[in-house]
Structure formats: structure tokens, C-alpha cells
Amino acid sequence: MTNANIKNSNSGEYKSFKKSKLIGSYTLTTFLILGSVIMIVPFVWMVLTSFDWAARLNIPFPPRFWPKEMTTKTYEAAFTNIPMLRYMFNSLIISIGVIAVSLMSALLSGYAISKLKFKGSMIVLVLALSTMMIPFEMTMIPQYLLFSKIHLLDTYWAFFLPALNYAFGTFLAKSFIDQIPSSLREAAIIDGAGEFKVFFKIYFPLCVPIIATMVILQFLAVWNDLLWPLLALKTPDKYTIQLGLAMFTYNKTTPLPSIIMAATTVSLIPVITLYLFLQRYIVESIALSGIKQ
């Protein structure tokens, strides 16, 4: 075979490979766009329905994507009939407490497993991760009975104490800290620093990307949780936003779709705002640790 024939053959193979790669890219993009539309359309419909005064008694069928009677009275009615600010404040307090407790627990345990290399450290990690295989529905009754015995039901401690066990956060922190050179710790110890000083002065500031990731994950989990607040809280003034909306919907004999949609839209604002502020750190943590959330 001549050089010209070999060159033509290689050129043909390259064009064929490039064409198949281009087709695969277009196909993937199409599926991603379709998936995005499927996820975004219900959200857009919820927001637009929340401005539809005509939908305050019944959800229109077939669904319409533009309000028949555009108004903000649905939001006024939501804040009038539902103590939204109180519920959101309760959820915020619980979220901040749970995030603070779970983050410190996960970061300290992740640092210890990654850098201290004590005997049986990997066994501890595996045992902690194994708790993730147990569904919450199996542990909620024993947990409820335990907090009932120690008289911590209907208090925020019923949320803060379980946050001490954040196994997934420990795994994330350990994976991220593994990427940070151990020489930083060794140099600090040679200079006379203790382990806590090494962690808080050196490793903690470097863990900002993974901290942002865990904050988002925990905030979403706590803010959207309904089952445990339903069991743990009895006083209406302590209800979280999800529990408050659920109770409002349950206690109404006449459904108020657009008003409920308005209240739900308001409840999503803190989650979206937090994500927009922290998304660049989440991307950075994924890039550095190689972990897909």
C-alpha cells in the first residue's frame, strides 16, 4: 500500500470518528435538553399558577401556563392564612443548627480518618457508611421513643443530636482532605501546633468547596423534610415550613390551589438563593475530589 493510500485511509477513519462523535454529542445534548424541560416545566407551571386568582378554588384542566386572572392577591392570602414567616424562621433555625453540628462532625471525623491514620480508621469509615444502608423508616420509631424518654420531643435538640452522625459528610470530607498534602500538617506539628490548631488554621480554610457542597445537601434535606418534624414537633408555633404547609392543606375542607402554590413558591426562595451563592464552590469541590453528587 502506498503512502497516499495510507494517508487517505487514515483521513477517512478520522472523518468517520469525528462524525460519530458529533452525532453522539448532538444526541446527548438533545436528551439533556429534554430532561431539563421535563424538570423545569412543573416548576414554571407552579410559579405561574401561584399568580392565577381564578385557580384559587380549583386547578384548571387542562392545565394552562398563563394565569387567567394575574394577581398578587394569592401571595397576600398565603401570608394572611399561613404564618409563613414564623414557619420559615423555624426551618432556618433548625437548618443552621443541623448544618453546624453535622459539618463539624463530618469535617473532624474526615480529617482524623484521612490524616491521623489511626488503627482501624477504615473500619470506622466503613461502619459509618454502612448506616446509610438503613432506611430512616426503620430507625424513626426507636429514635422517637428515645427522644420521648429523655424529654426532647418538641424541641430543636431532636434535630441537632441526630445530625452528629453524618456519614456521607464524613466520606465527602475524607475524600476531599485526601487531596490536601500531608506535608502541611507535618510542618505545622514541627512548629509546635496541636491537631485542633492544624485543622482549624490550615485544613478548615482549604475545605471551603466541600463545606459549600455539604451545606447545600444538608440544607435541602432539612428544609424539605416532613416526616421527622411531623413526629418530633407538637406545638404549631414550632412547625417547620413543610410541616406548616402540610397541616394547612390537610385542615382545609376546600382546596386553595393557587394560594398553596404561592406559599410553596415562597418556601423555595431560600433554597434557590443559597444554591446560587454556593454553586461555584460545589463545582470546584467536584473537580477537586472527583465525586459526583
Side-chain angles (χ1 to χ4, degrees), residues 45-46 49-50 52 54-60 74 254-264:
W45 175 78
M46 178 190 72
T49 303
S50 70
D52 192 352
R56 67 188 182 278
L57 298 178
N58 291 295
I59 295 179
T74 51
T254 303
L256 303 170
S258 61
I259 296 175
I260 294 172
M261 295 292 185
T264 305

Side-chain angles (χ1 to χ4, degrees), residues 85-158:
L85 295 179
R86 180 64 193 178
Y87 292 160
M88 292 179 73
F89 178 75
N90 293 339
S91 290
L92 187 63
I93 293 297
I94 293 174
S95 299
I96 291 173
V98 168
I99 288 171
V101 172
S102 60
L103 278 186
M104 291 313 302
S105 172
L107 289 170
L108 287 171
S109 57
Y111 170 78
I113 294 172
S114 175
K115 298 304 180 186
L116 300 188
K117 303 294 184 182
F118 58 90
K119 189 175 181 179
S121 59
M122 294 310 298
I123 296 176
V124 172
L125 179 61
V126 171
L127 289 175
L129 291 176
S130 66
T131 61
M132 296 174 59
M133 300 172 63
I134 305 173
F136 175 71
E137 289 76 11
M138 290 185 64
T139 62
M140 66 179 181
I141 300 302
Q143 189 169 297
Y144 174 87
L145 295 175
L146 173 62
F147 282 108
S148 178
K149 287 289 184 181
I150 59 179
H151 306 290
L152 288 181
L153 287 180
D154 206 27
T155 69
Y156 292 154
W157 288 106

Side-chain angles (χ1 to χ4, degrees), residues 107 173 176-177 180 199 202-212 214:
L107 289 170
F176 189 87
I177 294 173
I180 303 175
F199 172 76
I202 299 175
Y203 284 87
F204 188 84
L206 295 174
C207 288
V208 169
I210 203 65
I211 289 173
M214 289 192 285

